[in-house]
Amino acid sequence: MNSELLLREHDLKVTPQRLGILSLMKIRGHVDVEELFSEMKKQFSSISLATLYKNVNAMLEKHLITEIKAPNFKAKYEIVKEPHIHLLCKECDEFVDLDLDLESLISDASKKSNYQLKESCVVLSGLCKKCQTK
Amino acid sequence: MNSELLLREHDLKVTPQRLGILSLMKIRGHVDVEELFSEMKKQFSSISLATLYKNVNAMLEKHLITEIKAPNFKAKYEIVKEPHIHLLCKECDEFVDLDLDLESLISDASKKSNYQLKESCVVLSGLCKKCQTK
DNA sequence: TTATTAAAGGATAATAATTATCCTTTAAGC
DNA sequence: GCTTAAAGGATAATTATTATCCTTTAATAA
């Protein structure tokens, strides 16, 4: 979906800065605040860090993006999509999405715990293919 | 295992403060830095926050404890145990462990990605039993 | 279009969280 | 009991995040 519509559907005003943020997330998949800042400065030389924090928080509140956190890892942000998991390489810091069915995990967890589960944050870490042979 | 041995086996000196930290983790299951500080002050009235950070970091490095992170959640620490997942209630903030077999998830992820996976950080969130009926 | 207005942006101050420093105290091994 | 390297405590420094305040701009309706 185009970013303008994405913003409108989440009750967020369309601004060039916000379009830039979303565009970057689409290209990169996930970004952290630091990356966001250094990349955005290329397009918006006078952008303020505060603007980024404010926008990231606004987008989180409206559920347009989600936050991914894990040990030894700077929080990253991505546009909301189907439930999936994340893989982190401890050697080269590669970080990728993996579309994997979480249904059985979630239903098992629900049965065992009686929790009604809505969201998941799954990060598995180890070595990517390249780093295994080094 | 008793805490003294646990420390020794991880090449950490045994100190009263460290024993206190581990004892608290055993009782509570997981603690965040703030809880740790307020509870520890009951036993060690002059303990410094720096001591807690230093010890938490030392224990993390030696893999005696692990860190759990998730969105809208203050990082918590727990003594290393068998792989398991965590459930978070968004209503009352209850946070619990759940022993669930992660083997199939991890092997599926490995196959699909060619990653060699070692660690997992899984937090599922929703409503605990009590909060579902409120 | 243009005028109006609430919200967004930018600069920067304030706050919170974490780490570093420095000196004192203590655990571990002889 | 000594010795010594490491740990603890106090606090300064750093980093990350949020708040504030004023200026600018996107959205809307005349």
Side-chain angles (χ1 to χ4, degrees), chain A residues 73-86:
Chain A
F73 182 76
K74 281 195 69 172
K76 287 188 193 288
Y77 302 91
E78 67 180 11
I79 297 176
V80 167
K81 55 172 209 161
E82 294 299 300
H84 59 282
I85 71 166
H86 299 97

Side-chain angles (χ1 to χ4, degrees), chain A residues 63 67-75 85 87-90 92 94-96 98-102 104-106 108-110 112-129 132, chain B residues 63 67-75 85 87-90 92 94-96 98-102 104-106 108-110 112-129 132:
Chain A
H63 300 101
E67 191 179 33
I68 312 151
K69 288 171 153 187
N72 311 309
F73 182 76
K74 281 195 69 172
I85 71 166
L87 305 181
L88 171 64
C89 177
K90 297 192 161 204
C92 68
E94 181 186 67
F95 183 72
V96 296
L98 184 65
D99 289 306
L100 202 69
D101 187 32
L102 287 173
S104 70
L105 179 80
I106 291 177
D108 284 0
S110 279
K112 265 201 159 180
S113 66
N114 289 309
Y115 264 63
Q116 180 186 321
L117 297 166
K118 295 171 182 171
E119 281 165 43
S120 64
C121 178
V122 178
V123 180
L124 305 181
S125 54
L127 295 176
C128 71
K129 195 172 183 185
Q132 284 167 45
Chain B
H63 300 102
E67 190 179 33
I68 312 151
K69 287 170 152 189
N72 310 310
F73 182 76
K74 281 195 69 171
I85 72 166
L87 306 181
L88 170 64
C89 177
K90 297 192 159 203
C92 69
E94 182 187 67
F95 183 72
V96 296
L98 184 66
D99 289 307
L100 204 68
D101 187 32
L102 287 174
S104 70
L105 179 80
I106 291 177
D108 284 1
S110 278
K112 266 201 157 179
S113 66
N114 288 310
Y115 264 63
Q116 180 185 321
L117 297 166
K118 295 170 182 172
E119 280 166 44
S120 65
C121 178
V122 179
V123 180
L124 306 181
S125 55
L127 295 176
C128 71
K129 195 172 182 186
Q132 284 168 45

Side-chain angles (χ1 to χ4, degrees), chain B residues 6-74:
Chain B
L6 212 49
L7 287 167
R8 290 227 175 79
E9 287 191 346
H10 290 84
D11 298 308
L12 291 166
K13 268 195 186 175
V14 177
T15 69
Q17 291 85 345
R18 286 175 176 175
L19 293 173
I21 291 171
L22 291 177
S23 147
L24 211 57
M25 286 182 182
K26 284 177 178 174
I27 293 166
R28 298 267 178 123
H30 346 70
V31 292
D32 61 37
V33 174
E34 202 178 310
E35 280 169 52
L36 205 50
F37 190 44
S38 62
E39 288 301 311
M40 290 290 287
K41 272 195 292 197
K42 294 179 186 171
Q43 278 185 73
F44 303 90
S45 55
S46 71
I47 197 168
S48 161
L49 245 187
T51 299
L52 295 180
Y53 278 107
K54 281 186 279 192
N55 280 325
V56 164
N57 288 332
M59 291 178 188
L60 284 172
E61 266 176 35
K62 301 290 188 177
H63 300 102
L64 167 48
I65 65 175
T66 55
E67 190 179 33
I68 312 151
K69 287 170 152 189
N72 310 310
F73 182 76
K74 281 195 69 171

